[in-house]
């Protein structure tokens, strides 16, 4: 773990990778659905393919962010977690992991991981944390968990509990690779750590058709799985109530999007014994 006490660090800030505007990226498509500005025509084409056939995708975007806020709030306030490893973070929007966690406990350390050059280019926006804590960004691919763990250890103390955040990213990983990656990451974390995760599910014919259409234009396909398959990633962990459920139904708060909408994403939180 690094002794650097500065509020943020940055991997190779002066040499960002080139941005390929001819290939889609899920972070940019999601940013488009959320009403952001960090996307290209190829991303909008793919995003429109989905939203035209499944307008509820905007609800899913909003309810997934609300889920993240509730999860990080619980882990910080109730579970006492002060370290977060957020893989597949995407573009900075409102209420990012570090903003929620450090808003409760300013000393929190947060490491973001993504492999999109445009996200890297916006990393400085992500890295505005508190003076007491640390917010870092790693340019790495989820399919290389060893590299992630090695770089994250420069900021996080792997002798203390860490919350592993895999929010909407495992849908990009093939079935045969998903569980080994999750287990590799969890295996490096000490007892008392947490896994927080959600992904889109094949619980709606309209959503299935929309994702299939979007995948035809996307360079990194997204795989919809059953709720049972999403729950399988938590095997061997102590699952928190209410279990693996549609994101809007995980400990909802007053004023959030109706629990009758945005139901085609299932998520949960579990503790490593």
């Amino acid at each position: 773990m690094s002794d650097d006490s500065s509020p943020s660090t940055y991997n190779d800030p002066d040499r960002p990778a080139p941005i390929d505007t001819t290939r889609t990226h899920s972070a940019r498509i999601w940013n488009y659905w959320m009403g952001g500005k960090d996307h290209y025509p190829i991303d909008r084409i793919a995003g429109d393919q989905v939203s035209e056939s499944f307008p509820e995708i905007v609800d899913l975007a909003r309810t997934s962010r609300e889920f993240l806020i509730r999860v990080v709030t619980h882990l910080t306030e109730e579970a006492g977690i002060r370290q977060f490893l957020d893989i597949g973070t995407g573009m900075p929007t409102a209420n990012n992991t570090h903003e929620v966690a450090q808003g409760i406990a300013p000393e929190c350390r947060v490491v973001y991981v993504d492999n999109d050059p445009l996200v890297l280019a916006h990393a400085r926006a992500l890295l505005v944390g508190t003076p007491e804590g640390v917010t870092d960004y790693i340019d790495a691919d989820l399919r290389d968990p060893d590299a992630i763990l090695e770089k994250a250890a420069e900021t996080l103390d792997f002798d203390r509990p860490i919350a592993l955040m895999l929010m909407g990213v495992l849908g990009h990983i093939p079935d045969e690779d998903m569980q080994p990656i999750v287990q590799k990451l969890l295996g490096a974390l000490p007892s008392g750590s947490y896994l927080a995760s959600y992904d889109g599910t094949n619980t709606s014919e309209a959503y299935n058709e929309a994702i299939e259409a979007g995948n035809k234009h996307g360079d990194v396909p997204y795989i919809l799985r059953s709720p049972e398959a999403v729950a399988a990633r938590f095997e061997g962990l102590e699952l928190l109530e209410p279990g693996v459920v549609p994101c809007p139904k995980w400990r909802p708060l007053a004023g959030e999007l109706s629990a009758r909408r945005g139901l085609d994403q299932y998520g949960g939180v579990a503790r490593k014994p």
Side-chain angles (χ1 to χ4, degrees):
M1 181 175 153
S2 171
D3 290 329
D4 184 4
S5 61
S6 62
S8 65
T9 56
Y10 188 79
N11 291 67
D12 296 322
D14 297 322
R15 295 191 300 171
I19 297 171
D20 186 350
T21 61
T22 68
R23 296 169 61 88
T24 62
H25 193 283
S26 61
R28 300 195 301 260
I29 295 172
W30 205 254
N31 182 266
Y32 175 51
W33 286 330
M34 290 285 287
K37 299 179 180 179
D38 299 310
H39 42 74
Y40 295 102
I42 192 69
D43 304 306
R44 295 190 286 273
I45 290 172
D48 288 342
Q49 285 288 332
V50 177
S51 62
E52 286 173 4
S53 58
F54 189 68
E56 291 86 350
I57 192 67
V58 177
D59 292 340
L60 292 178
R62 178 177 170 184
T63 57
S64 67
R65 178 54 49 141
E66 292 173 346
F67 174 69
L68 181 147
I69 295 169
R70 295 195 305 274
V71 166
V72 174
T73 298
H74 171 80
L75 291 175
T76 309
E77 281 189 343
E78 304 298 329
I81 293 295
R82 296 296 182 266
Q83 302 189 105
F84 294 81
L85 179 57
D86 188 341
I87 303 177
T89 179
M91 298 294 175
T93 58
N95 296 307
N96 300 290
T97 297
H98 77 284
E99 294 172 317
V100 178
Q102 293 176 354
I104 298 168
E107 70 274 19
C108 284
R109 290 175 170 255
V110 180
V111 172
Y112 291 108
V113 181
D114 209 296
N115 68 332
D116 179 21
L118 188 60
V119 176
L120 178 60
H122 286 76
R124 293 187 188 279
L126 273 173
L127 300 182
V128 181
T130 59
E132 300 92 337
V134 174
T135 308
D136 195 9
Y137 176 82
I138 294 174
D139 182 22
D141 194 311
L142 175 58
R143 291 166 291 188
D144 190 357
D146 287 317
I148 291 174
L149 293 170
E150 180 181 357
K151 294 178 181 179
E154 298 175 6
T155 300
L156 304 179
D157 181 354
F158 277 73
D159 291 325
R160 297 171 52 228
I162 296 170
L164 172 62
M165 314 278 289
L166 295 170
M167 301 296 214
V169 68
L170 289 174
H172 294 296
I173 304 298
D175 291 338
E176 62 271 20
D177 298 329
M178 182 181 70
Q179 205 60 21
I181 288 173
V182 173
Q183 291 304 315
K184 181 71 174 182
L185 292 167
L186 284 173
L189 306 185
S191 174
S193 295
Y194 285 81
L195 169 63
S197 185
Y198 78 83
D199 264 303
T201 52
N202 57 5
T203 45
S204 163
E205 188 61 34
Y207 192 29
N208 295 343
E209 294 175 357
I211 292 298
E212 182 179 356
N215 283 343
K216 292 179 181 178
H217 293 270
D219 291 293
V220 183
Y222 189 83
I223 303 168
L224 294 177
R225 297 185 168 99
S226 68
E228 293 76 17
V230 173
R233 67 189 59 167
F234 297 98
E235 289 180 0
L237 306 177
E238 300 169 352
L239 199 61
L240 304 188
E241 294 293 338
V244 179
V245 295
C247 288
K249 296 188 176 183
W250 196 90
R251 307 189 180 194
L253 302 175
E256 290 184 326
L257 194 64
S258 169
R260 295 188 299 275
R261 301 167 63 189
L263 300 181
D264 295 311
Q265 290 179 144
Y266 276 61
V269 180
R271 181 182 182 274
K272 182 176 179 179

